[in-house]
Amino acid sequence: MSFNLAVILRESRTTAPQAPCLLIDGRPMSYAEIDDESSRFARGLAREGIERGSVLAIALPNGAEFVVAYFGALKAGATVLLLNPLLKARELAYLLADSGARAVLAHHRFLDDVREGVELAGNAAIFAVGEASAALPAQVRSYRELLIGASVAAGIGVGEIEPTSATDTAVLLYTSGTTGEPKGAPLTHFQLYMNCTLSAETVGLRREDIALGGLSMFHVYGLGMLNATVRSGAALSVMSRFRAGEALRQMEQDEVSIVLGVPTMYFELLRADSSRFDLSRLRIGASGGAAMPAEIHTRFEQRFGVPIVEGYGLSETAGSATVNKPGDQRFGSVGKPIWGVELRIVDDQGHALPPGPDHIGEIVVAGHNVIEEYHRRPDATAAAFTRGWLHTGDLGYRDEDGYVFVVDRKKDLVIRGGYNVYPREIEEILYAHPAIVEAAVIGVPDARLGEEVHAVVTLRPGTHAEPEQIIEFCRRRVAAYKYPRVIRIIDELPKGPSGKIVKRDLQALFTNRTGSQSTAERKNT
């Protein structure tokens, strides 16, 4: 079956060519503009020999060039390798070599690392965005070269879309690599189409909607945001980088009706002064990427007067696996499996567990959204898949009505003296403390107990709390083996590109005592 994901752009253009597709600094770019520009880009790629099956790496922040290049590469039949533009040369070299990328499109500010990464990985063409051609270093060409003069290119005709197979790889995303080297997750045209179609239906995306584009498009959740917006013919109010104050200003200016974000984005919006902005168009929020603390969820809905629907997914599931539907949701849950997807909770032997919070096990998923294998990694594929079921590495349970509750990452589970401690449970309690704005709980090796429960928190401006007081706050609310014995107060928790807290970076706080003077720590046994 011939199918190319770029059809979602073409169909929205056909329906309403002058409707805004992107809003950048308040300036609209129509569906006709984006469709035409991406077709020119596709012809430019064909001129460079980048065609069906070739890999084009895009290492750009959010912007018009990202969207044009993404849909242009799809139209050419190429596979899009999405990269964080902040990656360093060594990281880039691995990803470029492993994917076999033929070319890299990067922002001119990051060219030093891109050039070094390409040199380490082997031969790949480099195209730069945002700098005049005369100022570019040797062996680097301008993005505009793929547009200017492309009309005379051979290969793809004017406005044509390469007839790829529905099962061809459209996008190659690499997992974060918290255990070993990053693994490539190949997502097909069909999988991404199903993801954006179901996502748009879930939140009721309409042609007149304007979504806040604060998620990084190189991340699976941000990519889903872009695809769902284009699929529904709505507009995306683009942010190159999320900042709460700027987001509120942009939400008023562009009359944003839908916010798609990760929990830390909602947390930052709560911290900002929203009282002076007219946000009357806002009607719904969607959260994913990490579990949302109940305290933040409740406070946001009360402050902004709109519901938040929470979902769950991974790169390996094209971004979606479960979702709460408006009007059919359960607080604290990530909802039910999306259409066409099966989900089970299994024990360590792979046996399905009955419903209920006393039956926590690993979440496994199967369906049209799940990748078939990791790119060139048969060992990782064999470890993660059992007869078509993906082992997610996440722990959770289902209630009697089928709603899924994610408890924690399996690797984050703390085993203290033989008892299981789920960090998210303790984090929920910490978020309820009046002085705490962010919290993360980790296990630290302990000679007597195997692991000890430690917590890292940040405080609200103008508040004060002693570690002993926070420990006592937790001790009164959970069993004795669960509460954190060590609290460390810091200025800011480390976060990854999607806004999730990076817990592996917190371990050093308890092994390296040279931290900033703003930290505080007490041991309570």
Side-chain angles (χ1 to χ4, degrees):
M1 179 179 70
S2 173
F3 178 75
N4 188 308
L5 182 65
V7 74
I8 63 175
L9 174 63
R10 178 59 50 78
E11 289 292 335
S12 290
R13 183 254 175 89
T14 300
T15 303
Q18 298 311 312
C21 176
L22 306 178
L23 296 168
I24 300 177
D25 297 326
R27 184 181 72 85
M29 292 188 69
S30 70
Y31 273 94
E33 287 180 89
I34 297 297
D35 190 37
D36 288 344
E37 193 102 332
S38 59
S39 289
R40 294 176 63 202
F41 188 87
R43 294 195 296 271
L45 291 180
R47 182 190 62 195
E48 299 294 326
I50 298 170
E51 49 198 11
R52 183 174 177 177
S54 301
V55 176
L56 171 70
I58 300 178
L60 293 174
N62 291 359
E65 295 89 351
F66 182 105
V67 178
V68 167
Y70 169 64
F71 281 107
L74 293 178
K75 288 180 178 183
T79 294
V80 181
L81 169 64
L82 294 181
L83 300 175
N84 184 341
L86 298 179
L87 291 175
K88 297 301 182 182
R90 180 189 59 81
E91 300 166 306
L92 288 167
Y94 171 81
L95 298 174
L96 294 174
D98 190 68
S99 65
R102 292 275 306 277
V104 186
L105 180 63
H107 197 278
H108 72 93
R109 287 186 291 134
F110 309 114
L111 281 179
D112 288 345
D113 279 302
V114 171
R115 293 173 70 201
E116 185 179 346
V118 167
E119 185 177 340
L120 291 170
N123 188 36
I126 303 174
F127 295 90
V129 168
E131 184 81 328
S133 298
L136 292 174
Q139 287 81 50
V140 177
R141 297 157 63 189
S142 171
Y143 158 82
R144 306 302 302 179
E145 287 189 36
L146 294 172
L147 301 172
I148 298 172
S151 59
V152 298
I156 296 176
V158 177
E160 289 184 7
I161 298 175
E162 179 71 18
T164 52
S165 168
T167 56
D168 281 355
T169 299
V171 171
L172 186 59
L173 287 172
Y174 278 79
T175 63
S176 57
T178 54
T179 54
E181 295 285 6
K183 303 183 293 292
L187 301 175
T188 69
H189 290 266
F190 177 73
Q191 286 172 325
L192 291 169
Y193 174 78
M194 289 296 293
N195 170 264
C196 69
T197 299
L198 294 171
S199 297
E201 289 177 355
T202 297
V203 298
L205 259 171
R206 303 184 291 256
R207 188 168 298 280
E208 60 269 24
D209 274 320
I210 298 170
L212 182 69
L215 293 162
S216 297
M217 295 179 192
F218 60 77
H219 187 270
V220 69
Y221 187 15
L223 182 67
M225 167 194 70
L226 170 63
N227 287 337
T229 304
V230 171
R231 170 72 176 87
S232 58
L236 193 64
S237 174
V238 178
M239 299 189 72
S240 60
R241 179 184 176 189
F242 180 85
R243 296 181 180 85
E246 174 61 21
L248 290 167
R249 184 198 66 77
Q250 203 161 307
M251 288 164 68
E252 178 183 59
Q253 170 190 277
D254 294 342
E255 299 184 321
V256 164
S257 55
I258 294 179
V259 171
L260 298 99
V262 295
T264 52
M265 290 168 60
Y266 289 99
F267 157 73
E268 292 293 342
L269 288 171
L270 280 170
R271 289 184 66 184
D273 178 13
S274 59
S275 61
R276 55 194 178 92
F277 297 98
D278 178 6
L279 306 177
S280 57
R281 280 262 301 172
L282 188 63
R283 65 178 181 85
I284 195 169
S287 181
M292 173 170 276
E295 180 72 13
I296 292 177
H297 193 147
T298 301
R299 286 173 55 210
F300 188 91
E301 291 190 338
Q302 291 173 345
R303 167 90 66 86
F304 293 90
V306 298
I308 295 177
V309 293
E310 193 171 359
Y312 163 77
L314 306 88
S315 296
E316 291 91 336
T317 65
S320 294
T322 71
V323 70
N324 278 288
K325 296 182 178 180
D328 180 23
Q329 56 193 112
R330 187 149 297 178
F331 188 77
S333 165
V334 294
K336 298 178 180 179
I338 62 174
W339 183 91
V341 171
E342 293 184 82
L343 182 147
R344 294 177 184 171
I345 309 295
V346 301
D347 61 19
D348 289 339
Q349 287 71 48
H351 302 133
L353 294 173
D358 294 330
H359 302 288
I360 294 172
E362 185 177 10
I363 299 171
V364 297
V365 183
H368 58 75
N369 60 333
V370 179
I371 65 171
E372 289 191 1
E373 60 185 5
Y374 288 111
H375 179 66
R376 297 170 56 182
R377 290 289 299 274
D379 55 336
T381 300
F385 291 87
T386 303
R387 295 187 298 278
W389 290 88
L390 168 68
H391 291 256
T392 67
D394 290 314
L395 297 172
Y397 67 93
R398 297 179 85 162
D399 67 12
E400 295 287 350
D401 297 320
Y403 289 90
V404 179
F405 293 77
V406 178
V407 175
D408 233 310
R409 287 289 294 164
K410 193 172 184 178
K411 64 182 178 61
D412 289 340
L413 174 68
V414 180
I415 304 178
R416 182 184 186 273
Y419 291 96
N420 290 351
V421 180
Y422 299 100
R424 189 188 173 192
E425 179 186 4
I426 314 306
E427 289 162 1
E428 292 280 359
I429 293 169
L430 289 166
Y431 274 103
H433 189 285
I436 292 175
V437 287
E438 284 192 299
V441 171
I442 61 173
V444 174
D446 183 271
R448 182 170 68 91
L449 296 167
E451 284 185 294
E452 187 55 278
V453 183
H454 288 40
V456 186
V457 303
T458 63
L459 302 182
R460 301 184 193 282
T463 65
H464 176 78
E466 289 293 330
E468 293 91 339
Q469 185 269 329
I470 298 173
I471 290 171
E472 180 62 20
F473 181 86
C474 295
R475 190 186 68 80
R476 295 198 305 266
R477 289 164 172 79
V478 291
Y481 67 89
K482 294 182 180 180
Y483 71 87
R485 267 52 176 191
V486 176
I487 298 287
R488 196 163 175 86
I489 301 170
I490 65 175
D491 293 329
E492 185 177 4
L493 293 177
K495 298 182 179 70
S498 66
K500 291 193 288 187
I501 295 169
V502 183
K503 288 191 174 182
R504 64 180 179 272
D505 290 351
L506 296 175
Q507 295 285 346
L509 291 175
F510 300 100
T511 56
N512 179 5
R513 295 294 187 260
T514 61
S516 68
Q517 294 183 353
S518 65
T519 62
E521 178 181 336
R522 299 288 188 276
K523 177 78 174 180
N524 185 324
T525 58

